[in-house]
Amino acid sequence: MKSGEEVYDRLELLIESPHKTTLIFVHTRRLAERMTHNLANRMGKEHVTAHHGSMSKELRLDAETRLKEGHLKALVATASLELGIDIGGIDLVCQIGSPRSIASFIQRVGRSGHHVGGIPKGIVFPLSLDELAESIAVIDAIKRGELDELIIPEKPIDILAQQLVAELAGEDYNEDTLYELVKKSYPFRNLERKEFEGILTMLSEGYTTRRGRRGAYIHHDVINKKLRARKNARLTALISGGAIPDNFDYDVIMEPTGTFVGTINEDFAIESLPGDIFQLGNNSWRLLKIENSKVRVEDAKGAPPTIPFWLGEAPGRTKEMSEAVCRIRDEISNRLGNLDNLTKLSDLKEGEVPDESWKTDAVMWLTDEVGIGNDAADQLVTYLAAGKAALGVIPNHKTLVMEHFFDEAGDMHLVIHSPFGSRLNRAWGLSLRKRFCRKFNFELQAAATEDNIILSLGSTHSFPLEEVYQYLNPKTVRDVLIQALLDAPMFEVRWRWNASRAFAILRRQGGKKVPPQIQRSNSEDLIALIFPDQLACVENIQGEREVPKHPLVDQTIHDCLTEAMDIDELEALLTRIKSGEIKLLAKDLREPSPPGPGNYQCPTLRLS
């Protein structure tokens, strides 16, 4: 691992020679701007620029033209340059941070040497030791010829509603003919007639709100099964169409003073939960509450982030990538020698050289078989070995470890080492949070990363650690998670996304873009009509919320369960836990283990 300045030194060296044009991929717009600024100060603004989705079309076009004409030495981009356009000759691709997926890394590196006889060339710059493991895993997976599974959305109701309005705006249809046309599309091959008729009912009846009726775009003659568009359908399909949702920034407000701290992107805000600590500027902040486009925080007094700032905006790790990471962990674990004697560097006597023969075999495997440099191999082996010495094993897809420790304030923290990726971990963590809330009548703090689930409990709670593995049942966890996600910000935002894609609320009206606050207000009015319990006072709700049967509600819950999280993999994991296929360990520790959350530095431990 290198410091920030060392990374920029290395990038500058790579950009200047022997490469003419370098494309640098990052995960977030914020990091793209920061890296562009720092590189431009070193190399000149005329040689470096940025390219991402928040820039205007004119600025993006200017960056693409300068790159294609060879006027730029380096371009820092998000996924906006991953596909599509011809961007000219690229000599080198640098990936800052883990690529999170095998296919994404292949696609990005493939932007270099993209000509007859050319050889793609790419370099990964991990930003943490956990990302170092991911980066090595993706290289190993590519050498083995592995790829991520292509996931095609099944029956996206919001998209179908939009397409039906657009199709009927062009010509009238018989109901049966339109249904057969829709089923010819692969994502809708299994669309049931009842589901199709539910969408037609939604589009023909619309919604009656305090601002009048809206969302009625078609005439539906139920007797003769005839469908035709209303007069507003064509214009709505033209100006408000599209599958990419609008994202709005959230203001960060410090309590109790009400001081404005800055802004964070909506997709980061919706993935966060009360208690999360994140970095903004030079300070760390603890999230208190998310409401009305505002994120209320308090000073975390320098506490390390429980989630990286880019977590909400960056893609989660794919299932195949997680399997590759587990394979790397297994291979290293099997090649480690005796780890009984764990000592700090400060414990070594002057002139004493630590015995590091225990890691020779693992380091040689990484360098010889995977093709990793010796320094990177040594750091990863040392990091994982320190974790194995603390936990007894290196957690993988066959062995899970739950550790439990108390902080300086006496509060208990529970960490589940679950290397299955953030989507599964988020589902598991949110379900556990709901189960703990019901069991102890206590709203705990929780966070999920690619390799961990972190639950922060009070000092008064006591229970056998091993029983936490049994808190959730594969047959009922879906219902528990649905109730949990209804309280999470992700539901509110994904509801608005789906409603806007289905034209239930408009993005543009009267030739202008509808302001964010109006879109949110319209979204709340709509959910109040369709799903009153979602906005009702919790004290007046007895038991669980009753979820209404409605196409948009169903789609929003489905998106939360399968896109933001991975309920299917969670159910499969809990089934394996219940059947005894997975080895379950529990450890009481005095301090968090090295592979715990928030570990972004090299380990200060040596084995001798």
Side-chain angles (χ1 to χ4, degrees):
M1 301 294 298
K2 296 180 180 296
S3 67
E5 286 302 313
E6 288 176 313
V7 170
Y8 284 115
D9 290 341
R10 176 64 172 156
L11 283 173
E12 185 178 2
L13 184 63
L14 291 170
I15 292 168
E16 292 288 2
S17 177
H19 309 102
K20 293 182 179 179
T21 309
T22 301
L23 183 57
I24 303 172
F25 279 108
V26 298
H27 284 310
T28 67
R29 296 178 283 275
R30 177 183 174 86
L31 185 56
E33 292 290 353
R34 186 194 313 155
M35 183 160 283
T36 300
H37 173 76
N38 291 334
L39 287 174
N41 287 340
R42 288 168 169 256
M43 305 175 62
K45 294 183 178 180
E46 68 278 10
H47 297 308
V48 184
T49 193
H51 189 287
H52 54 75
S54 293
M55 297 171 61
S56 67
K57 180 178 67 176
E58 292 75 20
L59 288 176
R60 292 199 305 270
L61 180 60
D62 176 68
E64 294 163 12
T65 303
R66 291 167 63 193
L67 179 67
K68 191 181 301 184
E69 294 176 351
H71 299 319
L72 290 176
K73 291 184 178 180
L75 181 64
V76 185
T78 57
S80 57
L81 280 184
E82 188 173 290
L83 297 168
I85 65 172
D86 177 17
I87 55 176
I90 302 293
D91 300 314
L92 173 69
V93 168
C94 294
Q95 169 68 50
I96 308 299
S98 166
R100 299 292 192 224
S101 80
I102 304 167
S104 177
F105 187 59
I106 293 175
Q107 180 64 46
R108 292 181 175 189
V109 174
R111 297 303 253 164
S112 65
H114 200 191
H115 54 82
V116 176
I119 299 176
K121 184 178 180 182
I123 298 176
V124 190
F125 288 77
L127 299 178
S128 72
L129 288 166
D130 288 325
E131 286 199 354
L132 176 61
E134 289 184 13
S135 301
I136 293 174
V138 75
I139 293 172
D140 181 55
I142 291 172
K143 291 184 67 176
R144 294 170 182 264
E146 298 174 352
L147 275 176
D148 307 296
E149 180 184 358
L150 181 62
I151 300 175
I152 299 176
E154 279 287 322
K155 300 187 291 188
I157 299 303
D158 51 337
I159 298 298
L160 179 56
Q162 181 181 136
Q163 292 302 306
L164 289 178
V165 172
E167 186 67 24
L168 289 169
E171 60 178 298
D172 298 347
Y173 271 89
N174 175 273
E175 186 179 313
D176 296 332
T177 304
L178 186 58
Y179 176 62
E180 292 304 321
L181 177 65
V182 168
K183 289 200 67 175
K184 290 180 181 178
S185 174
Y186 182 84
F188 301 103
R189 68 198 182 283
N190 296 321
L191 182 71
E192 296 180 4
R193 186 61 182 253
K194 184 181 294 186
E195 295 173 309
F196 177 73
E197 291 174 352
I199 300 172
L200 294 181
T201 300
M202 179 181 72
L203 293 175
S204 61
E205 295 181 357
Y207 314 96
T208 303
T209 70
R210 61 184 178 182
R211 295 186 177 91
R213 189 184 185 196
R214 68 162 181 257
Y217 296 104
I218 65 174
H219 289 285
H220 186 193
D221 184 346
V222 181
I223 302 299
N224 298 307
K225 295 186 176 183
K226 298 293 184 181
L227 298 166
R228 61 184 177 89
R230 294 179 182 269
K231 63 179 181 179
N232 59 338
R234 183 185 298 272
L235 183 61
T236 300
L238 286 173
I239 66 174
S240 290
I244 301 175
D246 291 331
N247 283 318
F248 308 130
D249 286 343
Y250 277 53
D251 292 340
V252 180
I253 307 296
M254 183 176 69
E255 297 293 353
T257 60
T259 305
F260 173 75
V261 175
T263 61
I264 59 175
N265 198 260
E266 180 181 46
D267 52 2
F268 173 78
I270 64 174
E271 300 295 352
S272 304
L273 291 171
D276 287 347
I277 298 175
F278 63 92
Q279 194 81 15
L280 180 60
N282 295 323
N283 297 317
S284 57
W285 307 94
R286 179 176 287 103
L287 193 150
L288 300 176
K289 191 175 183 181
I290 301 175
E291 60 178 8
N292 300 327
S293 306
K294 290 182 172 56
V295 176
R296 301 195 179 276
V297 300
E298 64 180 359
D299 190 351
K301 304 186 185 303
T306 57
I307 50 175
F309 183 87
W310 57 89
L311 180 64
E313 196 178 341
R317 194 166 72 195
T318 63
K319 175 186 175 183
E320 291 73 19
M321 264 288 291
S322 294
E323 291 173 351
V325 169
C326 288
R327 183 173 59 234
I328 290 291
R329 290 180 170 209
D330 285 345
E331 294 285 357
I332 292 176
S333 179
N334 293 336
R335 287 171 170 79
L336 288 175
N338 184 15
L339 305 179
D340 293 336
N341 191 14
L342 181 64
T343 59
K344 293 184 179 179
L345 289 173
S346 57
D347 292 340
L348 294 174
K349 298 178 182 179
E350 185 176 355
E352 184 180 357
V353 178
D355 176 18
E356 297 187 339
S357 59
W358 51 268
K359 63 181 176 182
T360 302
D361 191 22
V363 171
M364 287 183 62
W365 178 78
L366 285 172
T367 55
D368 297 344
E369 297 296 325
V370 185
I372 303 302
N374 189 76
D375 289 344
D378 183 87
Q379 287 193 56
L380 180 61
V381 170
T382 303
Y383 174 55
L384 293 179
K388 185 173 183 178
L391 298 173
V393 297
I394 296 178
N396 55 43
H397 61 293
K398 295 180 180 178
T399 304
L400 298 179
V401 181
M402 187 181 301
E403 72 171 88
H404 151 264
F405 59 90
F406 291 89
D407 61 17
E408 296 176 353
D411 291 334
M412 183 175 71
H413 300 274
L414 196 64
V415 178
I416 303 175
H417 295 273
S418 167
F420 298 110
S422 60
R423 289 175 60 235
L424 187 152
N425 287 344
R426 190 178 296 122
W428 195 1
L430 200 57
S431 301
L432 279 175
R433 184 171 181 263
K434 173 62 73 173
R435 187 60 79 195
F436 268 98
C437 181
R438 290 176 175 175
K439 187 176 182 66
F440 296 105
N441 194 27
F442 174 74
E443 195 76 20
L444 57 83
Q445 301 171 3
T449 66
E450 303 293 348
D451 297 296
N452 302 286
I453 301 168
I454 309 102
L455 302 171
S456 298
L457 299 153
S459 57
T460 59
H461 300 99
S462 178
F463 49 87
L465 195 57
E466 295 82 357
E467 76 174 24
V468 176
Y469 285 119
Q470 310 303 326
Y471 275 7
L472 298 171
N473 187 295
K475 295 181 179 179
T476 59
V477 67
R478 186 179 294 262
D479 293 332
V480 172
L481 186 55
I482 288 174
Q483 293 297 318
L485 69 85
L486 293 177
D487 295 323
M490 71 173 76
F491 180 85
E492 175 189 344
V493 176
R494 287 179 181 271
W495 165 261
R496 195 192 74 240
W497 290 354
N498 290 339
S500 64
R501 282 190 289 238
F503 299 148
I505 60 176
L506 298 179
R507 306 188 204 191
R508 302 184 67 87
Q509 199 168 17
K512 297 180 180 179
K513 188 171 183 178
V514 178
Q517 59 271 25
I518 301 299
Q519 287 195 44
R520 290 195 184 100
S521 176
N522 291 339
S523 176
E524 287 186 3
D525 287 347
L526 192 62
I527 195 68
L529 286 171
I530 298 172
F531 190 0
D533 278 3
Q534 177 60 18
L535 300 179
C537 177
V538 178
E539 295 179 359
N540 294 330
I541 298 177
Q542 299 295 324
E544 297 183 345
R545 287 187 174 95
E546 183 177 349
V547 181
K549 287 297 296 180
H550 188 276
L552 288 182
V553 176
D554 293 342
Q555 186 63 45
T556 303
I557 291 177
H558 177 270
D559 290 349
C560 291
L561 291 176
T562 61
E563 292 182 3
M565 299 179 287
D566 195 338
I567 182 60
D568 295 328
E569 287 299 318
L570 175 60
E571 288 175 334
L573 174 63
L574 294 176
T575 300
R576 292 169 61 202
I577 289 175
K578 189 174 182 179
S579 66
E581 293 180 35
I582 296 181
K583 185 178 181 180
L584 306 174
L585 300 177
K587 298 284 183 179
D588 285 313
L589 302 178
R590 290 181 297 177
E591 58 185 9
S593 63
N599 188 350
Y600 299 106
Q601 305 298 325
C602 299
T604 58
L605 299 172
R606 287 280 181 170
L607 300 167
S608 59

